Amino acid sequence: SEVKPLKAFILPGGEELAARLHVCRTVCRRAERELVTLSAAHSVNAQILVYINRLSDLLFAWSRLANRLAGMEDVLWEQPKA
């Protein structure tokens, strides 16, 4: 509730803590993709997939909050002009 609703894609960055949280989120997403690949060949507890997905969402929310508390705006993606 402390950050503005999303109206655009957000790029990793901002203040240092936010940028580090974005890196953590990236690693978490990579692990999620690996787990999905693993689940195609082996049994993987579905709750693990849900947990890691929610964890990446939490890291994203924390990165936005870190920028907000530091008084910085999120780094918004802008579509290149043709």
Side-chain angles (χ1 to χ4, degrees):
S1 66
E2 290 193 35
V3 294
K4 297 175 188 173
L6 290 176
K7 294 185 179 184
F9 288 107
I10 294 176
L11 298 174
E15 74 98 24
E16 184 178 353
L17 177 58
R20 288 176 185 263
L21 287 164
H22 277 295
V23 170
C24 292
R25 182 178 63 89
T26 300
V27 172
C28 190
R29 285 287 196 209
R30 186 180 318 138
E32 181 181 13
R33 288 191 303 275
E34 291 294 325
L35 280 170
V36 168
T37 300
L38 178 67
S39 71
H42 300 283
S43 177
V44 174
N45 185 326
Q47 292 301 313
I48 294 172
L49 292 170
V50 171
Y51 175 83
I52 201 157
N53 180 270
R54 296 294 107 205
L55 178 59
S56 66
D57 288 345
L58 178 62
L59 292 166
F60 179 74
W62 279 347
S63 68
R64 295 194 68 215
L65 180 59
N67 273 337
R68 167 77 168 82
L69 294 175
M72 295 188 76
E73 294 290 324
D74 289 316
V75 181
L76 301 180
W77 178 79
E78 295 181 22
Q79 187 168 355
K81 296 183 180 173

